[in-house]
Amino acid sequence: MRANEVPTGQRRNTPAQDLELYIHIPFCKTKCKFCFYVSFVEVCEAEINAYLTALEQEIEFRWHGWKPRESIVNSLYIGGGTPSLLSLRQWSHLIRVLTRFWETREIPEVTVECNPSSIDEAKLRIWRAAGFNRISLGVQNLDGQLLQRFGREGTPGRFSHMVDLIRKNGFENINCDVLVGLPGETQRSVDATLDVLVRNKIPHISVYPFVLRNNTGVFADESLRRECLAYKTERMERFRSSTDYLLSHGYLRIGTAHFALDDKYVCIHHHKYWDGGNVLGFGVSAQSFIDGRYMKNISDLEQYIGRTPDNTQALSISLDSGDLIRRWALLGLSKRMMFRYSDLEARFGSGSVKYLQKELSELSKAGLVELNKDQVHLSWKGMEQIHLLSAVYFKFKNEEYLRRVMRIPEELQPFCPKKDVVDD
Ligand SMILES: C[S@@+](CC[C@H](N)C(=O)[O-])C[C@H]1O[C@@H](n2cnc3c(N)ncnc32)[C@H](O)[C@@H]1O
Ligand code: SF4
């Protein structure tokens, strides 16, 4: 036996660790003005290829350190940006990279995020052959004029055809994202969108209330920004009516913004994350959470491609017990819309509630949570503005750096010290 090899008996006693994987593909055909995700448009083929090579180097570097832990990979989430935008050749390249490190066919859930305009049968086939089994489609709203207003290429007419094609190629587990609260939408267009999804029996639907962040086209456009800020009441109403609509059509609420026709469609990746599990993220702007350490990659594409893989992180902070307690509470609210003080104390020890008291009273004053003797509940306002709860995150000890690296939503400003927000 080599010196660093683990004896078999010892290995059996060491529980394998759960792990979720995330890969960021930061390319889009056009940039939607509402979108806060890190993505780039008009990137040439050579640069995308260079990105895939840099991604492979990052995975190799980080996986090398992680592999001896004998992890159980429950989920792989390929998000963006728009992963479906990669060409067939680039997909073959990416799949070669992924299968160098993982048996993708054996991972219980592999999701690929798609824009309906860039899916085709050939891509669906190679995804299926690689063991991918979940498709997440960005629908937003099926009103083409509304999408155009926000610079999003619209393909509403293709929706049902697209779903048929996805199903025909062996994908049963489909999510659709719906975005509500954009000025210019109507109750009718939101209802019509949900109606099409319900009629197509989409098993998992995410309804995201629009969040105005400072890295979006909307934020940069003074008049659109004002319009969006003035649209708060309607946004709340749309979120509420969408929730009612889905519940009355047989959907279960499985998260603050997530609905499913059956428990079996719960997204493993989201739920493991909300449970505070370990996540390894790769690519531009990807975040990781490993054993109480939070890490975030740089958001600049050229820098990511140009740097060595040991130098791609913009942030790496170890969370102290107060940070971990706040994170646990925030994720619990995202997952179950409530948490019990007794569960908190069972996990972190008696007296741990005191780490949250100040934040909870601020959130309660803002009407985002309701406090009672034994538990904390999200209010309706809190459900619609779940992102505001990340104010809790801003108490991390490396607060200043985190503030600069994260992009702070406009509505979060009351929770933050007044300073300019600088992008990394
Ligand atoms: C990475 S995108 C989805 C995949 C693909 N790029 C697409 O748009 O079709 C993830 C989702 O985030 C949501 N999203 C984007 N910008 C948002 C914002 N400002 N507020 C809330 N949700 C947003 C949209 O619903 C979008 O579908
Ligand atoms: S919503 Fe999707 S397509 Fe639009 S910019 Fe964001 S990631 Fe790209």
Side-chain angles (χ1 to χ4, degrees), residues 28 32 34-37 80-82 113-116 136-140 152 177-179 208-212 216:
C28 293
C32 311
F34 52 74
C35 179
F36 54 61
Y37 285 92
T82 309
E113 267 189 338
C114 302
N115 183 309
S136 179
L137 275 179
V139 172
Q140 324 311 349
R152 183 175 168 91
D177 291 339
V178 175
L179 188 61
Y208 296 121
F210 168 65
V211 178
L212 177 56
T216 56

Side-chain angles (χ1 to χ4, degrees), residues 22 24-25 27-30 32-39 77-84 112-118 136-140 152-153 175-180 182 206-213 215-216 218 387:
Y22 176 82
H24 193 70
I25 303 296
F27 309 112
C28 293
K29 195 158 166 210
T30 55
C32 311
K33 287 187 184 173
F34 52 74
C35 179
F36 54 61
Y37 285 92
V38 174
S39 71
Y77 196 100
I78 306 171
T82 309
S84 57
V112 57
E113 267 189 338
C114 302
N115 183 309
S117 68
S118 53
S136 179
L137 275 179
V139 172
Q140 324 311 349
R152 183 175 168 91
E153 44 171 0
N175 165 64
C176 286
D177 291 339
V178 175
L179 188 61
V180 296
L182 292 174
S206 309
V207 181
Y208 296 121
F210 168 65
V211 178
L212 177 56
R213 293 209 175 168
N215 65 333
T216 56
V218 169
H387 60 283

Side-chain angles (χ1 to χ4, degrees), residues 207-353:
V207 181
Y208 296 121
F210 168 65
V211 178
L212 177 56
R213 293 209 175 168
N214 62 1
N215 65 333
T216 56
V218 169
F219 192 89
D221 179 331
E222 183 68 33
S223 82
L224 202 49
R225 179 181 171 186
R226 279 177 198 283
E227 235 187 294
C228 285
L229 285 171
Y231 205 66
K232 271 187 189 157
T233 316
E234 290 86 345
R235 191 169 65 208
M236 185 112 85
E237 277 165 13
R238 294 280 140 69
F239 181 63
R240 211 167 169 151
S241 69
S242 305
T243 302
D244 291 345
Y245 185 90
L246 291 175
L247 295 178
S248 69
H249 283 80
Y251 282 79
L252 310 168
R253 192 166 197 178
I254 53 166
T256 320
H258 303 279
F259 302 84
L261 278 176
D262 192 291
D263 274 344
K264 71 177 177 182
Y265 296 110
V266 158
C267 174
I268 298 175
H269 190 83
H270 289 151
H271 277 249
K272 291 281 181 186
Y273 170 77
W274 289 331
D275 284 339
N278 282 336
V279 180
L280 261 183
F282 304 97
V284 157
S285 77
Q287 305 181 46
S288 301
F289 180 82
I290 299 290
D291 299 341
R293 177 167 282 275
Y294 173 77
M295 290 153 281
K296 186 171 191 280
N297 271 351
I298 47 176
S299 297
D300 185 287
L301 181 62
E302 277 175 31
Q303 282 186 21
Y304 179 83
I305 292 173
R307 287 192 188 179
T308 52
D310 57 340
N311 195 20
T312 58
Q313 285 179 346
L315 178 72
S316 174
I317 51 173
S318 175
L319 307 185
D320 65 20
S321 48
D323 296 333
L324 289 170
I325 288 169
R326 285 185 285 269
R327 185 173 193 271
W328 180 90
L330 176 67
L331 294 177
L333 289 172
S334 301
K335 181 176 176 181
R336 287 176 294 271
M337 294 169 280
M338 57 82 69
F339 67 83
R340 284 187 200 87
Y341 293 125
S342 55
D343 290 340
L344 178 78
E345 302 219 320
R347 175 132 181 190
F348 295 99
S350 64
S352 40
V353 174

Side-chain angles (χ1 to χ4, degrees), residues 159-207:
F159 181 78
S160 296
H161 163 73
M162 186 54 53
V163 171
D164 290 344
L165 190 69
I166 292 169
R167 286 187 165 136
K168 196 181 103 195
N169 282 280
F171 291 89
E172 182 225 354
N173 197 351
I174 302 171
N175 165 64
C176 286
D177 291 339
V178 175
L179 188 61
V180 296
L182 292 174
E185 79 186 2
T186 56
Q187 184 67 52
R188 216 167 146 193
S189 72
V190 175
D191 289 350
T193 302
L194 292 174
D195 185 54
V196 171
L197 303 193
V198 168
R199 275 193 285 113
N200 278 278
K201 297 191 171 53
I202 300 299
H204 187 286
I205 299 176
S206 309
V207 181

Side-chain angles (χ1 to χ4, degrees), residues 335-403:
K335 181 176 176 181
R336 287 176 294 271
M337 294 169 280
M338 57 82 69
F339 67 83
R340 284 187 200 87
Y341 293 125
S342 55
D343 290 340
L344 178 78
E345 302 219 320
R347 175 132 181 190
F348 295 99
S350 64
S352 40
V353 174
K354 73 170 186 286
Y355 287 96
L356 276 175
Q357 249 147 16
K358 188 164 172 285
E359 288 80 3
L360 288 178
S361 102
E362 278 171 20
L363 294 172
S364 162
K365 257 189 251 150
L368 298 167
V369 295
E370 286 153 13
L371 310 178
N372 66 32
K373 203 161 78 38
D374 318 309
Q375 45 193 241
V376 177
H377 276 270
L378 270 184
S379 65
W380 263 102
K381 187 175 172 190
M383 289 174 205
E384 184 260 332
Q385 297 183 3
I386 183 79
H387 60 283
L388 286 185
L389 300 180
S390 58
V392 170
Y393 269 123
F394 292 91
K395 308 291 180 199
F396 282 166
K397 53 179 177 230
N398 207 335
E399 185 172 326
E400 177 59 29
Y401 191 33
L402 190 61
R403 243 175 28 82

